Amino acid sequence: MKNYAIILASGSGERTGLDTPKQFLKIAGKTVIEHTLQVFQNHPKINEIIIVANKNYIKKVQSILRENKFKKPIKIVQGGLTRKDSSYNGISSIKDVEANVLIHDAVRPFVSSKIIDKCIEALKKHKAIDVAIPSSDTIVIADKNNFIKQIPERRFFRRGQTPQCFYLPLIKKAHELSLEDSEAKNVTDDCSLVLKYGLSDVYIVEGDHFNRKITYPLDLAIADKLFQLKSLKLEDVELNLIKDKVVVVFGHSRGIGKEICTLAKKYGARVWGFSRKNGVDVSDFNLVKKALFDVYKSEGKIDYIVNTAGILNIGYLEDRNIKDIQDEIAVNYLGAINIAKESFNYLKKSEGSLLFYTSSSYTRGRAKYCTYSSSKAAIVNLVQALSEEWTTFNIKVNVINPERTATQMRFQNFGKEPEDTLLSPKKVAKVSLETILGNFTGQVINVTREDLF
Ligand code: C5P
């Protein structure tokens, strides 16, 4: 029996208050719906995908499909006025007598292949399935005057997610019955219909906390952060993939840059390092240009470019020497621009990856750090902009945000600090390689001593 994924994408996104419906907003270099489609596209047990889209966005969906060249059969169906109508349109477009359908919100891009697996497995035994997680909030039932009528025991509550999955004839029947039922128009999910008409029990498959729905502007900000975590946590990146890749590291002579060279070599990469030590000052465009040209001439390709070159001089602005300040900005900011500009042609050819470094002070400037923290904030902004400019070329560009790290630069500015309060440059190097090998772009990757997840 075939497994169809129906992706509901016909919502108007009124609740975000934005002009574009949330499924078409971009996170981590791709629209929300592209992330969602990718999960179903990659799942080996999904045979076909049906996208239900609003008629004003059908062209947009068509162009997304053209750009992504997904391999599975994908059909676009026009949506309806309510979610229920859209769902019915998706279901009715399937001509098979028997099939399984997995109905999923386009605005839940974090659905995992594990959840899909569990659903398909459960469909062998049950005809209707919901995905849900225990509620961590207490749910209160209110009356129309804003008074609590009842607080049911929390342990009985689960929060519904999607996909909701069904044996096709069952969910078709539920929708057909609802056509005659005026009370059904407020129903916001498909399982409710099955229960309303007593057609089947609905079995619950455990979802997960990542599988969130993007509804409000805050959800978008959270989703952006979750993509950082997901990119590194859920995609198991094999460092062996770096074997025979050409990696260029600017700022290779010490600290994080040095560790990256060592680790990349250990995994078989062909590594080229540049720094002031071998005459390459990143603030000089021509030197950067020559360095990359020499590597290309010798290797015939450049896969990954990493820039760890950075200067930190602390002090109050008014007390500091203008030459030092200009030097710091030239290395930290102009250096990144020089490298990015000159990297483009090489990385376009290899569909490679560029990696920069920021500081935890990028989100909020710190006293005595004003030039350092503002130059590091600029790097994040630069990476976000470039990731958008370069998505069509398949060049990935990300930025690492390491916690206080045990490097010489830190030691020079802050003296000796207890070892166990600092992050090891080895860990930053490992995450750096995972990032350049990863398939995400425009991300700020936080590296901390202890993992949050
Ligand atoms: O509005 P709600 O949050 O329930 O939307 C869940 C999903 O249903 C979204 O992916 C949305 O695009 C979709 N939807 C739809 N047609 C509608 C309303 C919502 O496909 N008329």
Side-chain angles (χ1 to χ4, degrees):
M1 196 154 32
K2 273 190 180 173
N3 295 315
Y4 286 86
I6 299 179
I7 310 295
L8 296 179
S10 193
S12 60
E14 261 167 38
R15 281 168 290 176
T16 50
L18 303 168
D19 290 343
T20 311
K22 54 229 168 174
Q23 58 272 29
F24 298 113
L25 295 174
K26 272 192 176 176
I27 317 177
K30 283 188 197 166
T31 56
V32 169
I33 190 174
E34 280 173 284
H35 290 291
T36 308
L37 286 170
Q38 194 68 56
V39 183
F40 286 93
Q41 171 63 40
N42 290 349
H43 198 286
K45 292 189 182 144
I46 297 292
N47 303 96
E48 290 189 30
I49 300 173
I50 297 159
I51 304 172
V52 186
N54 183 292
K55 69 173 182 323
N56 299 328
Y57 283 90
I58 287 184
K59 280 214 168 84
K60 169 100 185 148
V61 175
Q62 283 167 337
S63 92
I64 286 175
L65 296 185
R66 263 195 310 277
E67 274 172 30
N68 283 275
K69 302 187 184 81
F70 293 122
K71 294 200 181 71
K72 283 187 181 157
I74 303 189
K75 169 165 81 181
I76 306 171
V77 169
Q78 191 170 314
L81 217 53
T82 63
R83 184 192 191 280
K84 179 169 109 53
D85 300 333
S86 297
S87 174
Y88 184 51
N89 291 357
I91 292 162
S92 327
S93 76
I94 303 173
K95 299 295 165 229
D96 308 31
V97 176
E98 285 200 313
N100 287 325
V101 287
L102 289 80
I103 305 174
H104 186 68
D105 295 339
V107 288
R108 289 185 190 270
F110 297 106
V111 59
S112 62
S113 61
K114 198 163 146 201
I115 292 180
I116 299 174
D117 265 342
K118 286 196 281 187
C119 288
I120 293 176
E121 198 46 43
L123 278 167
K124 290 180 185 160
K125 277 203 193 151
H126 308 279
K127 289 189 170 160
I129 285 151
D130 199 359
V131 171
I133 53 170
S135 172
S136 52
D137 291 320
T138 296
I139 308 290
V140 302
I141 299 178
D143 66 17
K144 59 181 186 318
N145 297 318
N146 258 350
F147 287 98
I148 291 181
K149 274 204 333 214
Q150 201 190 344
I151 304 184
E153 258 188 82
R154 185 166 68 195
R155 70 194 161 101
F156 295 118
F157 280 88
R158 312 263 179 112
R159 280 164 46 202
Q161 305 185 329
T162 65
Q164 291 191 333
C165 314
F166 308 92
Y167 175 55
L168 178 69
L170 179 93
I171 192 64
K172 246 192 189 159
K173 176 147 191 226
H175 274 273
E176 279 158 10
L177 288 171
S178 80
L179 295 176
E180 312 290 316
D181 178 357
S182 60
E183 278 174 18
K185 66 178 189 306
N186 294 331
V187 167
T188 54
D189 75 310
D190 296 88
C191 286
S192 299
L193 293 180
V194 170
L195 292 173
K196 197 171 193 310
Y197 306 118
L199 299 179
S200 163
D201 291 335
V202 179
Y203 180 74
I204 300 173
V205 158
E206 178 96 11
D208 65 43
H209 287 277
F210 274 99
N211 187 19
R212 304 168 62 96
K213 181 156 79 166
I214 298 177
T215 306
Y216 299 104
L218 176 65
D219 297 325
L220 275 174
I222 294 172
D224 195 54
K225 285 283 165 206
L226 286 180
F227 266 111
Q228 287 171 23
L229 297 167
K230 177 180 179 284
S231 343
L232 293 176
K233 287 284 151 205
L234 304 183
E235 275 181 26
D236 277 330
V237 183
E238 269 291 329
L239 291 188
N240 289 322
L241 293 173
I242 208 155
K243 190 167 184 296
D244 293 328
K245 299 286 183 195
V246 176
V247 183
V248 177
V249 179
F250 288 96
H252 81 303
S253 64
R254 52 185 205 161
I256 295 169
K258 191 171 170 186
E259 290 298 338
I260 291 173
C261 292
T262 310
L263 193 64
K265 274 183 201 152
K266 187 174 142 199
Y267 281 94
R270 305 208 296 269
V271 181
W272 292 69
F274 299 100
S275 62
R276 290 185 188 185
K277 241 190 172 155
N278 59 6
V280 179
D281 180 339
V282 294
S283 62
D284 185 327
F285 179 69
N286 288 323
L287 293 177
V288 169
K289 186 174 173 155
K290 182 168 180 328
L292 291 175
F293 179 75
D294 288 347
V295 176
Y296 186 77
K297 208 166 72 182
S298 185
E299 298 279 5
K301 66 165 183 170
I302 300 178
D303 296 293
Y304 306 121
I305 298 174
V306 179
N307 175 33
T308 63
I311 294 181
L312 166 62
N313 287 325
I314 52 176
Y316 292 110
L317 190 69
E318 63 272 26
D319 299 336
R320 286 181 55 198
N321 170 316
I322 190 68
K323 174 79 185 62
D324 274 359
I325 292 172
Q326 286 168 347
D327 199 25
E328 189 178 16
I329 294 168
V331 171
N332 292 1
Y333 183 51
L334 293 180
I337 301 263
N338 291 339
I339 291 170
K341 179 162 170 52
E342 202 48 28
S343 296
F344 175 75
N345 281 323
Y346 300 114
L347 297 180
K348 189 171 83 172
K349 281 198 189 103
S350 60
E351 298 196 342
S353 176
L354 177 63
L355 187 62
F356 287 127
Y357 291 78
T358 184
S359 132
S360 56
S361 61
Y362 87 88
T363 49
R364 186 172 176 83
R366 256 178 229 158
K368 294 173 85 177
Y369 270 71
C370 62
T371 48
Y372 181 77
S373 55
S374 56
S375 66
K376 291 298 184 179
I379 298 299
V380 173
N381 200 291
L382 175 71
V383 163
Q384 289 163 338
L386 289 177
S387 71
E388 286 198 7
E389 290 180 18
W390 293 355
T391 6
T392 44
F393 302 100
N394 242 339
I395 304 175
K396 273 85 62 195
V397 47
N398 294 290
V399 54
I400 300 281
N401 177 21
E403 212 180 30
R404 300 174 303 136
T405 310
T407 61
Q408 215 172 323
M409 184 172 90
R410 174 127 200 128
F411 182 62
Q412 277 165 357
N413 281 281
F414 299 94
K416 193 135 183 61
E417 295 167 296
E419 272 290 320
D420 59 356
T421 63
L422 298 176
L423 181 62
S424 113
K426 283 195 167 59
K427 176 159 185 189
V428 185
K430 181 170 175 283
V431 177
S432 300
L433 295 194
E434 287 168 347
T435 302
I436 55 177
L437 291 167
N439 196 25
F440 47 92
T441 188
Q443 296 301 300
V444 183
I445 309 295
N446 300 320
V447 191
T448 49
R449 271 171 306 138
E450 281 168 33
D451 292 328
L452 292 173
F453 291 83

